[in-house]
Amino acid sequence: MAPTLDGCTPWPGAFVDRYWAAGHWRGNTLDNLLRGWALQYGPRTALVHDGERVTYANLNRRVERRAAGFRLRGLHPGQRVLVQLPSVPEAVVTLFALMRAGLVPVLCPLSYGAPEITRLARVTQAVGWAALAEHPEFDTTAAAADIAARWPFLRRVFTLDAPGASSPYGGLTTDPAGCQYSPLGNVDAPPAPALVQGADQVAFLLPAGAVTGEPVLVPRTHDDYAYQARAAAELVSLTEDDVYLAVPAAGSPFVLGGPGVVGTLSVGGTVVLADGPEPGACLALVAREAVTVTSLTADAAGRWLDALPADGDGAGTGSLRLVQAGGDAALSGATAEGLGRALGCRVQRVFGLAEGPLLLSGPGEEDATEPEGRVRPLSPDDDLRVVGADGADVPDGEPGELLARGPYTPRGYYRAPEHDARSYTPGGWLRTGFLARRTPAGALLVTGRHTAPEQEPADDDRATG
């Protein structure tokens, strides 16, 4: 399998064949899947935010016109565009529109400041940036002008204004470096003929979770991410009757696709977009929109528990059937038990990184007596190992570093060979940077971050699959 974007490591051909034969990869791009969802669920509500309700048909029309607008602005397939937007329908439209235009979105948390944005713009050679017109932490215009003056690639900035505000750029403004600024809402044109794209191409770039320090990016393909979202939706039995509350969480991979926004849309459900993780506002949305499923970081789960009455009376959360909680930080047994009791629903422990794997607890495995909680891999083709400092597999019950590879775990970071050398074995196993223990029944207990000295290379000959 040849790389589909310069700077990415492909899956070996034998693994590509394996994932296709298993039916995990199906050759559909995410934006083309949206076309099918719009045909199947057209009049149903896809997105809710404040007073705005967007149907599947309307979402697809907006994506189609914005994709044509990006192409009209001179952006070409394969180019990268930074996306740093809040949790609003415009963000979902922009993400799918960039993919439909053949561009590669680079998803940037709102918490990133000018230094992180500048570094990602340089690494990806981003030609565009979709951002808030007025970021609370830095001057968007000044940051863009600085990048444009230093390097010859960033030449388009698309700004999202606060509700009721008017764009400082009017229709279109160009700075001395030749960078154009325009409102994101003005990126609109009659639909153009559909591009022919391969599902093995990179759909978007995600900030890495397992790497500390400067931002590093994970290339996710259409095939692998569509599979992850679909499999996660099947695991938690999502249907078109479900209402998913998308709670923003910087660095959390399952809000977008675990099953998250993409998984909910895939079954015709409704996604309610929360402005932030604050318990009061989120619990009000649960009550107002009859939310059935949501995902929380371990920290947010603790804050929700503190804000709830012990028995949940009067909280208006009776519609909830499932809360996923965790991410890349451990959810304590006491928090899981207390949250489940207060909300009157199941709390599913989740461990996941942008680079994979996604591990989730099954029914009956949310045992409060185990501080870490048992989790299992999402896919039957997730290959997992627990290894010691010598790189050899450790016996069940013994702690070691968790290594992973599988149909939604990319084989390397984007344009980061030094990180690849440290984080991947020669056999393509990702060193997750987390300690785990395997139970005799095959479940995993993820116990915390791995802080041991540099390991010997893992013995890939011992790997199965």
Side-chain angles (χ1 to χ4, degrees), residues 272-331:
V272 178
L273 300 167
D275 289 323
E278 295 75 24
C282 287
L283 291 169
L285 285 174
V286 171
R288 190 185 81 194
E289 299 294 340
V291 169
T292 59
V293 180
T294 192
S295 307
L296 302 172
T297 63
D299 177 67
R303 285 186 282 137
W304 274 41
L305 179 58
D306 292 340
L308 283 163
D311 58 3
D313 282 352
T317 59
S319 59
L320 274 172
R321 67 174 182 86
L322 177 69
V323 172
Q324 297 179 305
D328 63 358
L331 178 72

Side-chain angles (χ1 to χ4, degrees), residues 157-328:
V157 178
F158 311 104
T159 58
L160 179 67
D161 301 305
S166 58
S167 171
Y169 310 113
L172 183 68
T173 300
T174 304
D175 69 16
C179 186
Q180 295 181 353
Y181 303 78
S182 61
L184 183 60
N186 289 2
V187 181
D188 180 81
L195 288 176
V196 177
Q197 302 186 72
D200 59 346
Q201 294 178 331
V202 173
F204 46 74
L205 298 168
L206 290 175
V211 176
T212 59
E214 293 184 326
V216 181
L217 296 168
V218 181
R220 300 301 302 264
T221 68
H222 294 276
D223 263 333
D224 86 71
Y225 207 80
Y227 169 58
Q228 175 187 304
R230 183 179 70 249
E234 292 172 355
L235 182 69
V236 302
S237 302
L238 271 189
T239 72
E240 63 182 25
D241 296 323
D242 276 303
V243 179
Y244 176 77
L245 178 64
V247 180
S252 174
F254 53 88
V255 176
L256 181 60
V261 173
V262 177
T264 303
L265 294 177
S266 75
V267 299
T270 297
V271 176
V272 178
L273 300 167
D275 289 323
E278 295 75 24
C282 287
L283 291 169
L285 285 174
V286 171
R288 190 185 81 194
E289 299 294 340
V291 169
T292 59
V293 180
T294 192
S295 307
L296 302 172
T297 63
D299 177 67
R303 285 186 282 137
W304 274 41
L305 179 58
D306 292 340
L308 283 163
D311 58 3
D313 282 352
T317 59
S319 59
L320 274 172
R321 67 174 182 86
L322 177 69
V323 172
Q324 297 179 305
D328 63 358

Side-chain angles (χ1 to χ4, degrees), residues 100-113:
R100 187 161 294 179
L103 296 154
V104 180
V106 183
L107 303 188
C108 308
L110 281 177
S111 59
Y112 278 8

Side-chain angles (χ1 to χ4, degrees), residues 51-66:
E52 184 179 7
R53 309 184 89 83
V54 182
T55 67
Y56 278 82
N58 181 256
L59 173 61
N60 188 59
R61 280 195 297 270
R62 288 168 64 175
V63 166
E64 194 76 14
R65 293 190 65 89
R66 181 151 300 165

